[in-house]
Amino acid sequence: DGGITQSPKYLFRKEGQNVTLSCEQNLNHDAMYWYRQDPGQGLRLIYYSQIVNDFQKGDIAEGYSVSREKKESFPLTVTSAQKNPTAFYLCASSIYGQDNGYTFGSGTRLTVV
Amino acid sequence: AQSVTQLDSQVPVFEEAPVELRCNYSSSVSVYLFWYVQYPNQGLQLLLKYLSGSTLVKGINGFEAEFNKSQTSFHLRKPSVHISDTAEYFCAVIPGPGGGSSNTGKLIFGQGTTLQVKP
């Protein structure tokens, strides 16, 4: 079955370390997105990519980086510059410009220790 | 630009009671509307969507929503809730056909409503 896979489910990181969250989809979707979710703050867009080798900053891109070398993959790196990285991270994909909405992964919970 | 307001951050309700989760949107162009559900520590799952046609949309798990263009609302309803409906619900909007420069292709989400079903 087609879907979108995020790994790992839980991730622990020491302060000052970079960490990369994986997101892979086999839906042949053009666009991919990264959201951060904190209690009571809904979903906040970090980065998005509409085609391979191109991506744009979302509302809270500082302290994060992404790459889109393959259509199927959109990894997110949380750098040491991110002041408060503990959160739930969601990846999504869509057929750009269509009316099907987004397909979401199951999320990665990152905890800084 | 589009925006979405979910009028209630939390909605407590007893099991088997009806529930309505309210969503209002703002847009100068026609839009497509969505409701998503998120169970604890999981991703979002599409409940239903309105694209065009009948203003009453039926979704999964017995939920339905009504599009009201004059009131710019898209409220979610269920006539009888179960404990298993306890979750967070998100309303979202994206410009429809003819959205022109407003159409960034990105969904705009509301802040979410936590539905707490009590026994």
Side-chain angles (χ1 to χ4, degrees):
Chain A
D1 288 336
I4 183 166
T5 301
Q6 289 187 244
S7 61
K9 181 75 173 175
Y10 298 94
L11 189 56
F12 295 87
R13 180 196 108 173
K14 291 183 179 180
E15 275 192 50
Q17 289 181 338
N18 293 355
V19 64
T20 297
L21 283 58
S22 171
C23 179
E24 303 274 337
Q25 54 98 359
N26 60 2
L27 299 165
N28 199 32
H29 284 176
D30 308 301
M32 298 186 75
Y33 312 83
W34 273 106
Y35 287 90
R36 171 180 172 140
Q37 189 175 24
D38 297 282
Q41 296 197 44
L43 300 170
R44 292 186 288 169
L45 183 64
I46 305 172
Y47 269 99
Y48 64 102
S49 168
Q50 294 167 345
I51 56 173
V52 174
N53 292 323
D54 188 41
F55 48 82
Q56 288 77 40
K57 293 181 179 180
D59 302 316
I60 57 164
E62 185 175 352
Y64 299 97
S65 66
V66 293
S67 62
R68 187 87 187 276
E69 298 177 1
K70 299 186 300 182
K71 189 175 186 179
E72 301 81 14
S73 179
F74 191 42
L76 173 74
T77 296
V78 184
T79 75
S80 56
Q82 169 49 234
K83 299 302 181 187
N84 186 19
T86 295
F88 190 56
Y89 291 87
L90 285 164
C91 181
S93 67
S94 72
I95 301 173
Y96 177 67
Q98 297 297 314
D99 54 10
N100 291 313
Y102 292 0
T103 300
F104 281 84
S106 58
T108 293
R109 185 166 296 282
L110 173 64
T111 303
V112 174
V113 296
Chain B
Q2 292 76 38
S3 66
V4 178
T5 302
Q6 292 184 239
L7 298 163
D8 306 293
S9 60
Q10 294 187 352
V11 174
V13 63
F14 286 106
E15 194 173 19
E16 298 184 5
V19 71
E20 178 180 82
L21 306 184
R22 297 181 293 166
C23 172
N24 285 92
Y25 69 93
S26 173
S27 178
S28 58
V29 300
S30 65
V31 294
Y32 295 145
L33 294 152
F34 303 81
W35 273 100
Y36 286 86
V37 60
Q38 184 183 31
Y39 299 104
N41 292 313
Q42 295 186 27
L44 277 68
Q45 177 184 0
L46 182 65
L47 266 180
L48 49 79
K49 60 184 178 182
Y50 172 79
L51 306 179
S52 64
S54 173
T55 57
L56 183 63
V57 180
K58 293 189 182 298
I60 62 171
N61 301 341
F63 283 93
E64 63 182 31
E66 185 157 19
F67 170 60
N68 188 318
K69 187 175 182 180
S70 62
Q71 297 187 7
T72 61
S73 68
F74 190 54
H75 300 335
L76 181 71
R77 302 186 183 100
K78 186 170 183 178
S80 175
V81 295
H82 303 289
I83 295 289
S84 59
D85 292 322
T86 295
E88 188 148 17
Y89 292 79
F90 291 93
C91 182
V93 62
I94 193 169
S101 60
S102 298
N103 195 346
T104 63
K106 293 185 293 177
L107 273 176
I108 307 299
F109 288 92
Q111 290 296 300
T113 297
T114 301
L115 175 63
Q116 302 162 322
V117 181
K118 304 177 180 180

